[in-house]
């Protein structure tokens, strides 16, 4: 099974700042990486798929990068609505494992 | 538009079997896969399994011995059955036409 190691577990930042969340796969997933945002009491929302492709309707301050085993989600100029939890997911092969999540909190 | 909605009992006793239904609309189960994902309170997402458009399935190895996913294409429904429930199976259970479309989730508590 492919393991997804996500860091950091939590992150405190201020409105207007930029943050980066990373995800390390235990083997090459060939860019098959998905990022989700989840707010309390809500279902996960797709942000990025294919490691770099922004889902329709997602603000351009979100961006994804990476290849092979290392991937990142960057959020520029944080807005109040961005404070939430973020998860990466292996999209290459079953089991489609999630990272452990990153909780982004307001500083 | 694409919709998924989970339904099932909110409370199940330990050792019993959980049965959940995901009713979908806006797409055909023979053309798209549906996954089940769960989330214990305050914790992260756990992928449970998937039923592919051709009806084949794949499961999380940690749950495989207790988990079964099936479907009724005529009713546009996907079913999850998990046996020998434990208190640690308490979670919100989601069905999803991943990665884009998710149900609202159903909270299941395992308690006597």
């Amino acid at each position: 099974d492919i393991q997804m190691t996500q860091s950091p577990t939590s992150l405190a930042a201020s409105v207007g700042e930029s943050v980066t969340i990373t995800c390390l796969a235990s083997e090459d997933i060939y860019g098959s990486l998905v990022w989700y945002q989840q707010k309390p009491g809500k279902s996960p929302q797709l942000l990025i798929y294919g490691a770099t492709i922004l889902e329709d309707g997602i603000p351009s301050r979100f961006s994804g990068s990476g290849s092979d085993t290392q991937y990142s989600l960057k959020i520029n100029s944080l807005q109040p609505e961005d404070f939430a939890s973020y998860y990466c997911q292996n999209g290459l092969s079953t089991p489609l494992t999630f990272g452990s999540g990153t909780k982004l909190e307001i500083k | 538009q694409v919709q998924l909605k989970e339904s099932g009992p909110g409370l199940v006793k330990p050792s019993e079997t959980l049965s959940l239904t995901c009713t979908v609309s806006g797409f055909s189960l023979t053309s798209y896969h549906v996954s089940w994902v769960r989330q214990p309170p305050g914790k992260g997402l756990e992928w449970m399994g998937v039923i592919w458009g051709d009806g084949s399935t794949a499961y999380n190895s940690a749950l495989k011995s207790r988990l079964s996913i099936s479907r009724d294409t005529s009713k546009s429904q996907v079913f999850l059955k998990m046996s020998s429930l434990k208190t640690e199976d308490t979670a919100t259970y989601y069905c999803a036409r991943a990665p884009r479309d998710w149900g609202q989730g159903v909270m299941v508590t395992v308690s006597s």
Side-chain angles (χ1 to χ4, degrees):
Chain A
D1 296 358
I2 297 173
Q3 308 303 316
M4 306 299 292
T5 303
Q6 186 174 341
S7 61
T9 301
S10 63
L11 183 55
S14 301
V15 172
E17 288 186 359
S18 296
V19 298
T20 298
I21 298 167
T22 63
C23 201
L24 179 67
S26 60
E27 59 188 80
D28 191 339
I29 56 171
Y30 302 97
S32 295
L33 191 283
V34 180
W35 289 101
Y36 297 96
Q37 178 192 70
Q38 187 183 31
K39 296 181 178 179
K42 299 294 186 182
S43 305
Q45 179 183 17
L46 174 64
L47 295 176
I48 287 169
Y49 60 96
T52 62
I53 303 170
L54 195 66
E55 170 68 349
D56 289 347
I58 301 301
S60 59
R61 62 180 179 274
F62 291 89
S63 63
S65 63
S67 61
D68 301 330
T69 63
Q70 299 190 61
Y71 298 89
S72 297
L73 171 70
K74 186 174 184 180
I75 314 171
N76 287 317
S77 186
L78 280 166
Q79 298 300 300
E81 60 268 28
D82 299 337
F83 293 93
S85 293
Y86 293 86
Y87 296 90
C88 62
Q89 184 188 26
N90 148 44
L92 179 67
S93 61
T94 58
L96 302 175
T97 42
F98 289 93
S100 55
T102 296
K103 186 173 184 179
L104 177 57
E105 298 174 303
I106 299 177
K107 188 186 289 183
Chain B
Q1 73 278 25
V2 172
Q3 292 186 320
L4 303 95
K5 186 170 184 179
E6 307 88 349
S7 59
L11 179 65
V12 185
K13 289 182 169 53
S15 79
E16 292 188 343
T17 295
L18 172 66
S19 295
L20 296 177
T21 299
C22 175
T23 302
V24 310
S25 60
F27 69 97
S28 170
L29 292 176
T30 59
S31 299
Y32 291 90
H33 62 275
V34 171
S35 298
W36 286 94
V37 174
R38 69 178 181 176
Q39 185 171 38
K43 297 190 177 180
L45 301 170
E46 180 181 28
W47 184 83
M48 299 181 72
V50 62
I51 186 163
W52 301 104
D54 66 1
S56 62
T57 54
Y59 300 108
N60 181 325
S61 53
L63 302 174
K64 189 173 184 177
S65 63
R66 302 193 288 140
L67 184 61
S68 174
I69 298 174
S70 60
R71 70 184 185 183
D72 183 335
T73 56
S74 67
K75 294 183 178 179
S76 294
Q77 292 180 323
V78 177
F79 309 105
L80 177 146
K81 290 191 188 302
M82 189 161 69
S83 62
S84 304
L85 284 183
K86 312 166 192 175
T87 54
E88 50 264 43
D89 293 316
T90 293
T92 296
Y93 287 75
Y94 297 98
C95 61
R97 193 185 80 162
R100 186 167 289 108
D101 303 299
W102 291 67
Q104 63 190 18
V106 60
M107 177 66 195
V108 175
T109 300
V110 181
S111 175
S112 54

